[in-house]
Each structure stands twice: as C-alpha cells, then as structure tokens.
Amino acid sequence: MALVIIRQDGKIDFWKEALKSQSPDLEIFSYYEDHPKEDIVMALIWKHPEGSLSAYPNLKLIASTGAGVDFIFEDPTRPKGIPITRIVDTKLADDMSEHVLAVILAHLKNLDTYKLQQTRGIWNPMNYSRIADFKVGIMGLGELGSVLANDLVRFGFRVQGWSNSRKSIDHIDSFTGEGELSDFLSSTEILVCLLPLTDKTIGILNASLFKKLPKNAFVINVARGGHLVDEDLITMLDNGHLSGAGLVVYHQEPLPESHPFWKHEKIHMTPHHASVSDPQSVIPQILENYRRVLNDKPLLNEISLDKGY
Ligand code: NDP
C-alpha cells in the first residue's frame, strides 16, 4: 500500500520529506517516477495534470493539500465515486483572516492611494474611515469565513454572512440561500467572497450582484478567480458604483501581463498566496486519513461529492 503525490509546482520533494519526517516508514512516490500503480491507495494532490488520477486501479482516496477541491471537479477524467478530502487547518484560516483584515484596513485608511501618491510626489491628505463605519458581508461562512467573521467582530466591525445553511454565531447576522441574498447585499459595504467554487457559485461576483451592493462598496475576492466576472468588476469600478477591490485569485495565474487588473488604480492585487497549507501543520490529518482509508474508517474533512465542496 502506498501514497502518490501529484502536483506540478515543484514541491513534491518538499511534501515527501515533510511526510517522511512524521511517518518514516510510509511508502510515498511522486507521480512522475517509476512506481507500482496498483499499490497506490491515496493520491495527495494539488492542481494535478488532467488524467493523472486515472492511472491508479486501487485508488481509495483523493486528498487535496489545500482547502479547495474545485480543481479536482474540473478534471473530467477523475475517477468518480472515490471519496475526496480537503484541508481544514487553524493556521490556514488564521492566515486568510489576517490577509483580509490587512486589505480592509488598508482600504479604510487609504493606504493604496497614499502609496500611489508617494510614487508621484503628491502630498494630499484624504478623509479616512473608521471600523465602526462599515458592515462587512462574508459570502461563505465555513471554516475560513467563520474565523474571519469572529476576528472582524473582535476588531469592532459589524459583520454578516451568507451561506447555504443558517449559522448561529454570536454578533453575526446569518443570511441563507438565493432568497436572502439581495437583503444581505443591500446592507454590505465591504463584501468578502470565501465561497467554494462550484457549479452554483461560478461567476457569482457579477454586475447584477454588484448592483445590489450600496454605492461605494468595496469587494474582496480571496476564494477563486472563477467566482468573478472580470469585465463586470472593471465596469462597476469605472462607473463609480464600487470604490475598489482587493484580489488574491484570478482566472489565470499568474495573471497575464496584458490583463487590465494590473494597471487599475482601484484594484489591490496580490498573488494567490494569502493562505497556504503549511505541511508540518496539515500532515497529521493527511496521515490520519491514510490510516483511516486502510482501515475503512470514516475520513476527516471529507467533502460532499454531490455538493462539490
Ligand atoms: P467551507 O466548505 O468550510 O465553507 C464554504 C462556505 O460556503 C460554507 O459556509 C457554505 O455553506 C458556503 N456555500 C457553499 N456554496 C454556497 C452557495 N451556493 N450559496 C451560499 N453559500 C454557499 O470552505 P472553507 O471556508 O474552508 O474555504 C472556502 C474557499 O476558500 C475554498 O473552497 C477555497 O477555494 C478558498 N481558499 C482560498 C485560499 C487562497 O489562498 N486564496 C486559501 C484557502 C481557501 P454551508 O456552511 O451552509 O455549507
């Protein structure tokens, strides 16, 4: 029985060593080395090459090394019906929360505009905003969204969230489903997307949704590039309805040089690096799932194959 690591970002040896450091006897292969395909029961993957998962006749578990699993569903050749797990990790959630907090505070205090003015030698004091002035609306109140929501409340923000099921979190108004989306949006001044990318959420950040936000709303997408309709964001920033946007994720990564986001003064861009799985922190749950799959036990952090998250 063995585990295969499939990823194309040059980090296979890094993950292999981290796994070996916590489980020296584990048999681990990288997908590009010669290895016995019939021995593989678990594939530990991140943005695998399409088709690579179908090489394993005895595969029992597909494990994402990140919180998202959208890239697995995007591969039409993936073996169907095999359980999929993802990462749920305190560090991952805290890192995301810290990133979003930084973007929001930079927006409130005009830090991006001041940086721009600095490069142009302009001294132009501007009105700033206060935490108490804003209500933050989080789309997706799951593992990451709920940590962010609690952190924002601790900072003094008014916070509300939108999710599939109703949540009961102190000081946070919970909205659910299509029926309550308009109400949620109409009172959201800073919108944060932390939804999984699924058939239901693809392209959800579009002009019709932006129009339901109050004028001057600020939009932060830290979930997936596929949630956003890029042209609609630019239109709503240029026509003054939205005051700005903070982006971490893009349809194509790295973002092509010619993409209009690069030079847009109202867009704060960072690479897709807000919150990254730390192997030492997440390997215990991966090893535990390896043991569980060998013993036919219920898995940790298994996603719903029907819902796609
Ligand atoms: P969870 O699965 O824990 O949470 C997802 C939330 O979205 C849940 O509250 C869920 O509702 C809600 N949701 C899902 N579909 C819908 C829908 N159609 N309508 C309304 N609400 C919906 O995921 P995480 O919080 O762990 O992660 C969220 C996403 O963040 C990941 O899928 C990943 O793509 C992204 N991510 C980005 C990173 C980055 O560096 N940019 C790093 C890590 C994650 P309910 O609770 O009712 O099921």
Short mmCIF file of all heavy atoms in Angstrom, two decimals, residues 67-68 70 86 92 96 140-145 162-165 167 194-198 200-201 222-224 248-249 272-275 307 309, ligand 1:
data_model
loop_
_atom_site.label_atom_id
_atom_site.label_comp_id
_atom_site.label_asym_id
_atom_site.label_seq_id
_atom_site.Cartn_x
_atom_site.Cartn_y
_atom_site.Cartn_z
N ALA A 67 -7.50 23.81 0.96
CA ALA A 67 -8.88 23.83 1.43
C ALA A 67 -9.86 23.62 0.27
O ALA A 67 -10.96 23.13 0.45
CB ALA A 67 -9.18 25.17 2.11
N GLY A 68 -9.44 24.01 -0.93
CA GLY A 68 -10.32 23.92 -2.09
C GLY A 68 -10.18 22.60 -2.82
O GLY A 68 -9.11 21.97 -2.80
N ASP A 70 -12.01 22.42 -6.01
CA ASP A 70 -12.60 22.75 -7.31
C ASP A 70 -11.76 22.19 -8.47
O ASP A 70 -12.29 21.74 -9.46
CB ASP A 70 -12.74 24.27 -7.45
CG ASP A 70 -11.52 25.03 -6.95
OD1 ASP A 70 -11.31 25.06 -5.72
OD2 ASP A 70 -10.77 25.57 -7.77
N ARG A 86 -10.24 17.34 2.02
CA ARG A 86 -9.57 18.62 1.85
C ARG A 86 -8.91 18.98 3.19
O ARG A 86 -9.04 18.23 4.17
CB ARG A 86 -10.59 19.70 1.45
CG ARG A 86 -11.55 20.03 2.56
CD ARG A 86 -12.67 20.91 2.09
NE ARG A 86 -13.41 21.45 3.22
CZ ARG A 86 -13.25 22.67 3.71
NH1 ARG A 86 -12.35 23.48 3.19
NH2 ARG A 86 -13.96 23.08 4.74
N LEU A 92 -4.26 27.89 8.39
CA LEU A 92 -4.78 28.30 7.08
C LEU A 92 -5.88 29.35 7.26
O LEU A 92 -5.93 30.37 6.56
CB LEU A 92 -5.34 27.06 6.37
CG LEU A 92 -5.50 27.09 4.86
CD1 LEU A 92 -4.16 27.22 4.16
CD2 LEU A 92 -6.19 25.80 4.39
N MET A 96 -5.65 33.46 6.34
CA MET A 96 -6.62 34.11 5.46
C MET A 96 -7.26 35.31 6.15
O MET A 96 -7.41 36.39 5.58
CB MET A 96 -7.70 33.09 5.04
CG MET A 96 -8.77 33.68 4.16
SD MET A 96 -8.09 34.38 2.65
CE MET A 96 -7.94 32.91 1.63
N GLY A 140 -19.98 32.91 2.32
CA GLY A 140 -19.31 31.68 2.73
C GLY A 140 -18.89 31.79 4.18
O GLY A 140 -17.91 32.45 4.50
N LEU A 141 -19.69 31.18 5.04
CA LEU A 141 -19.37 31.23 6.49
C LEU A 141 -18.92 29.85 6.95
O LEU A 141 -19.41 29.32 7.93
CB LEU A 141 -20.62 31.65 7.28
CG LEU A 141 -20.82 33.12 7.56
CD1 LEU A 141 -22.01 33.33 8.48
CD2 LEU A 141 -19.58 33.80 8.15
N GLY A 142 -17.96 29.29 6.18
CA GLY A 142 -17.46 27.96 6.53
C GLY A 142 -16.24 28.07 7.43
O GLY A 142 -16.15 28.96 8.28
N GLU A 143 -15.30 27.15 7.23
CA GLU A 143 -14.11 27.11 8.10
C GLU A 143 -13.35 28.42 8.06
O GLU A 143 -12.92 28.92 9.10
CB GLU A 143 -13.19 25.95 7.65
CG GLU A 143 -13.80 24.58 7.77
CD GLU A 143 -14.01 24.14 9.22
OE1 GLU A 143 -13.36 24.70 10.11
OE2 GLU A 143 -14.85 23.24 9.45
N LEU A 144 -13.16 29.00 6.88
CA LEU A 144 -12.40 30.24 6.77
C LEU A 144 -13.28 31.45 7.08
O LEU A 144 -12.89 32.34 7.83
CB LEU A 144 -11.78 30.39 5.38
CG LEU A 144 -10.86 29.28 4.90
CD1 LEU A 144 -10.20 29.65 3.57
CD2 LEU A 144 -9.77 28.98 5.91
N GLY A 145 -14.46 31.46 6.48
CA GLY A 145 -15.35 32.62 6.66
C GLY A 145 -15.74 32.85 8.11
O GLY A 145 -15.83 34.00 8.55
N TRP A 162 -23.33 35.07 4.54
CA TRP A 162 -24.28 34.39 3.66
C TRP A 162 -23.76 32.98 3.39
O TRP A 162 -22.59 32.81 3.05
CB TRP A 162 -24.42 35.17 2.36
CG TRP A 162 -25.42 34.62 1.39
CD1 TRP A 162 -26.77 34.65 1.50
CD2 TRP A 162 -25.12 33.98 0.14
NE1 TRP A 162 -27.36 34.06 0.40
CE2 TRP A 162 -26.36 33.64 -0.46
CE3 TRP A 162 -23.96 33.65 -0.53
CZ2 TRP A 162 -26.46 33.00 -1.68
CZ3 TRP A 162 -24.05 33.01 -1.77
CH2 TRP A 162 -25.29 32.68 -2.33
N SER A 163 -24.62 32.00 3.59
CA SER A 163 -24.18 30.61 3.39
C SER A 163 -25.38 29.76 2.97
O SER A 163 -26.51 30.26 2.92
CB SER A 163 -23.57 30.06 4.68
OG SER A 163 -24.36 30.41 5.79
N ASN A 164 -25.14 28.51 2.72
CA ASN A 164 -26.25 27.61 2.35
C ASN A 164 -27.15 27.35 3.54
O ASN A 164 -28.37 27.41 3.42
CB ASN A 164 -25.68 26.28 1.84
CG ASN A 164 -25.61 26.25 0.33
OD1 ASN A 164 -26.40 26.90 -0.35
ND2 ASN A 164 -24.65 25.51 -0.20
N SER A 165 -26.53 27.05 4.67
CA SER A 165 -27.34 26.75 5.86
C SER A 165 -27.22 27.90 6.86
O SER A 165 -26.22 28.62 6.88
CB SER A 165 -26.85 25.45 6.50
OG SER A 165 -25.47 25.55 6.78
N LYS A 167 -26.50 29.96 10.12
CA LYS A 167 -25.46 29.84 11.15
C LYS A 167 -25.88 30.58 12.40
O LYS A 167 -26.61 31.58 12.34
CB LYS A 167 -24.13 30.45 10.67
CG LYS A 167 -23.64 29.94 9.34
CD LYS A 167 -23.23 28.49 9.41
CE LYS A 167 -22.85 27.98 8.02
NZ LYS A 167 -22.75 26.56 7.92
N LEU A 194 -15.68 34.15 0.22
CA LEU A 194 -14.97 32.96 0.71
C LEU A 194 -15.81 31.71 0.45
O LEU A 194 -15.93 30.83 1.30
CB LEU A 194 -14.63 33.11 2.20
CG LEU A 194 -13.25 33.71 2.47
CD1 LEU A 194 -13.05 34.02 3.94
CD2 LEU A 194 -12.13 32.79 1.98
N LEU A 195 -16.41 31.71 -0.74
CA LEU A 195 -17.21 30.56 -1.15
C LEU A 195 -16.32 29.53 -1.84
O LEU A 195 -15.31 29.90 -2.44
CB LEU A 195 -18.27 31.01 -2.17
CG LEU A 195 -19.41 31.89 -1.69
CD1 LEU A 195 -20.13 32.52 -2.88
CD2 LEU A 195 -20.38 31.09 -0.82
N PRO A 196 -16.72 28.27 -1.82
CA PRO A 196 -16.02 27.31 -2.70
C PRO A 196 -16.48 27.55 -4.14
O PRO A 196 -17.60 28.05 -4.36
CB PRO A 196 -16.52 25.96 -2.19
CG PRO A 196 -17.82 26.23 -1.54
CD PRO A 196 -17.82 27.65 -1.07
N LEU A 197 -15.64 27.20 -5.09
CA LEU A 197 -16.04 27.33 -6.49
C LEU A 197 -16.77 26.07 -6.93
O LEU A 197 -16.19 24.98 -6.96
CB LEU A 197 -14.80 27.55 -7.37
CG LEU A 197 -15.09 27.88 -8.83
CD1 LEU A 197 -15.86 29.19 -8.97
CD2 LEU A 197 -13.81 27.93 -9.65
N THR A 198 -18.06 26.22 -7.21
CA THR A 198 -18.89 25.07 -7.62
C THR A 198 -19.76 25.51 -8.80
O THR A 198 -19.74 26.69 -9.19
CB THR A 198 -19.83 24.63 -6.48
OG1 THR A 198 -20.76 25.69 -6.22
CG2 THR A 198 -19.07 24.29 -5.20
N LYS A 200 -22.71 26.17 -8.69
CA LYS A 200 -23.66 27.18 -8.22
C LYS A 200 -23.00 28.54 -7.96
O LYS A 200 -23.68 29.56 -7.89
CB LYS A 200 -24.32 26.71 -6.93
CG LYS A 200 -25.20 25.49 -7.12
CD LYS A 200 -26.38 25.53 -6.14
CE LYS A 200 -27.42 24.49 -6.44
NZ LYS A 200 -27.11 23.17 -5.90
N THR A 201 -21.69 28.55 -7.75
CA THR A 201 -21.05 29.82 -7.36
C THR A 201 -20.15 30.40 -8.45
O THR A 201 -19.65 31.51 -8.30
CB THR A 201 -20.22 29.65 -6.07
OG1 THR A 201 -19.13 28.75 -6.34
CG2 THR A 201 -21.05 29.10 -4.92
N VAL A 222 -11.09 36.46 -2.29
CA VAL A 222 -9.95 35.64 -1.88
C VAL A 222 -10.25 34.16 -2.08
O VAL A 222 -9.51 33.31 -1.60
CB VAL A 222 -9.59 35.90 -0.38
CG1 VAL A 222 -8.78 37.16 -0.23
CG2 VAL A 222 -10.83 35.95 0.49
N ALA A 223 -11.36 33.87 -2.78
CA ALA A 223 -11.77 32.46 -2.89
C ALA A 223 -11.18 31.81 -4.14
O ALA A 223 -10.17 31.10 -4.06
CB ALA A 223 -13.28 32.37 -2.86
N ARG A 224 -11.78 32.09 -5.30
CA ARG A 224 -11.26 31.58 -6.57
C ARG A 224 -11.54 32.59 -7.67
O ARG A 224 -12.58 33.26 -7.65
CB ARG A 224 -11.92 30.25 -6.95
CG ARG A 224 -11.46 29.05 -6.13
CD ARG A 224 -10.02 28.65 -6.46
NE ARG A 224 -9.55 27.52 -5.66
CZ ARG A 224 -8.86 27.61 -4.53
NH1 ARG A 224 -8.54 28.80 -4.05
NH2 ARG A 224 -8.46 26.53 -3.89
N VAL A 248 -6.99 38.31 -4.79
CA VAL A 248 -5.90 37.38 -4.50
C VAL A 248 -5.89 36.26 -5.54
O VAL A 248 -4.87 35.62 -5.78
CB VAL A 248 -6.10 36.77 -3.08
CG1 VAL A 248 -5.27 35.53 -2.87
CG2 VAL A 248 -5.78 37.79 -2.00
N VAL A 249 -7.05 36.03 -6.15
CA VAL A 249 -7.22 34.88 -7.05
C VAL A 249 -7.72 35.36 -8.41
O VAL A 249 -8.44 36.37 -8.50
CB VAL A 249 -8.22 33.87 -6.44
CG1 VAL A 249 -7.58 33.10 -5.31
CG2 VAL A 249 -9.48 34.58 -5.95
N HIS A 272 -1.73 34.75 -5.59
CA HIS A 272 -2.54 33.73 -4.88
C HIS A 272 -1.68 33.14 -3.76
O HIS A 272 -1.15 32.02 -3.88
CB HIS A 272 -2.96 32.66 -5.89
CG HIS A 272 -3.92 31.66 -5.35
ND1 HIS A 272 -4.73 30.90 -6.14
CD2 HIS A 272 -4.23 31.29 -4.09
CE1 HIS A 272 -5.47 30.10 -5.39
NE2 HIS A 272 -5.17 30.32 -4.13
N HIS A 273 -1.53 33.90 -2.71
CA HIS A 273 -0.64 33.47 -1.64
C HIS A 273 -1.09 34.05 -0.30
O HIS A 273 -0.27 34.42 0.54
CB HIS A 273 0.80 33.93 -1.97
CG HIS A 273 1.85 33.00 -1.43
ND1 HIS A 273 2.04 31.73 -1.91
CD2 HIS A 273 2.75 33.15 -0.43
CE1 HIS A 273 3.02 31.16 -1.24
NE2 HIS A 273 3.47 32.00 -0.33
N ALA A 274 -2.40 34.16 -0.13
CA ALA A 274 -2.92 34.74 1.12
C ALA A 274 -2.81 33.73 2.25
O ALA A 274 -2.56 34.08 3.40
CB ALA A 274 -4.36 35.16 0.93
N SER A 275 -2.99 32.50 1.92
CA SER A 275 -3.11 31.47 2.95
C SER A 275 -2.74 30.14 2.30
O SER A 275 -3.42 29.68 1.40
CB SER A 275 -4.56 31.52 3.42
OG SER A 275 -4.98 30.34 3.94
N LYS A 307 -22.41 18.01 -3.53
CA LYS A 307 -22.36 19.49 -3.45
C LYS A 307 -21.11 20.06 -4.11
O LYS A 307 -21.07 21.22 -4.49
CB LYS A 307 -22.42 19.92 -1.98
CG LYS A 307 -23.78 19.68 -1.33
CD LYS A 307 -23.99 20.55 -0.11
CE LYS A 307 -23.60 19.85 1.15
NZ LYS A 307 -23.80 20.59 2.39
N TYR A 309 -18.25 20.55 -2.55
CA TYR A 309 -17.40 21.23 -1.56
C TYR A 309 -17.56 20.57 -0.21
O TYR A 309 -18.45 19.76 -0.02
CB TYR A 309 -17.74 22.72 -1.46
CG TYR A 309 -19.02 23.08 -0.74
CD1 TYR A 309 -19.00 23.43 0.61
CD2 TYR A 309 -20.24 23.06 -1.39
CE1 TYR A 309 -20.18 23.74 1.29
CE2 TYR A 309 -21.42 23.38 -0.73
CZ TYR A 309 -21.38 23.72 0.60
OH TYR A 309 -22.55 24.04 1.27
P1 NDP B 1 -16.06 25.57 3.64
O1 NDP B 1 -16.55 24.44 2.80
O2 NDP B 1 -15.74 25.31 5.07
O3 NDP B 1 -17.10 26.78 3.60
C1 NDP B 1 -17.80 27.12 2.45
C2 NDP B 1 -18.94 28.04 2.83
O4 NDP B 1 -19.60 28.46 1.64
C3 NDP B 1 -19.99 27.37 3.70
O5 NDP B 1 -20.46 28.27 4.67
C4 NDP B 1 -21.10 27.03 2.71
O6 NDP B 1 -22.39 26.98 3.29
C5 NDP B 1 -21.00 28.20 1.77
N1 NDP B 1 -21.55 27.92 0.45
C6 NDP B 1 -21.16 26.98 -0.44
N2 NDP B 1 -21.90 27.03 -1.56
C7 NDP B 1 -22.82 28.02 -1.35
C8 NDP B 1 -23.87 28.55 -2.13
N3 NDP B 1 -24.16 28.06 -3.36
N4 NDP B 1 -24.60 29.55 -1.60
C9 NDP B 1 -24.35 30.03 -0.37
N5 NDP B 1 -23.35 29.57 0.42
C10 NDP B 1 -22.59 28.58 -0.08
O7 NDP B 1 -14.77 26.15 2.88
P2 NDP B 1 -13.55 26.98 3.50
O8 NDP B 1 -14.09 28.07 4.35
O9 NDP B 1 -12.56 26.06 4.11
O10 NDP B 1 -12.89 27.56 2.17
C11 NDP B 1 -13.63 28.35 1.27
C12 NDP B 1 -12.87 28.51 -0.03
O11 NDP B 1 -11.77 29.39 0.14
C13 NDP B 1 -12.21 27.23 -0.57
O12 NDP B 1 -13.15 26.45 -1.29
C14 NDP B 1 -11.10 27.75 -1.43
O13 NDP B 1 -11.49 27.81 -2.78
C15 NDP B 1 -10.84 29.16 -0.90
N6 NDP B 1 -9.48 29.29 -0.39
C16 NDP B 1 -8.64 30.23 -0.92
C17 NDP B 1 -7.34 30.36 -0.47
C18 NDP B 1 -6.42 31.39 -1.03
O14 NDP B 1 -5.22 31.42 -0.74
N7 NDP B 1 -6.91 32.31 -1.82
C19 NDP B 1 -6.83 29.53 0.64
C20 NDP B 1 -7.80 28.62 1.17
C21 NDP B 1 -9.07 28.50 0.66
P3 NDP B 1 -22.75 25.83 4.38
O15 NDP B 1 -21.89 26.16 5.59
O16 NDP B 1 -24.16 26.04 4.68
O17 NDP B 1 -22.39 24.54 3.74
#
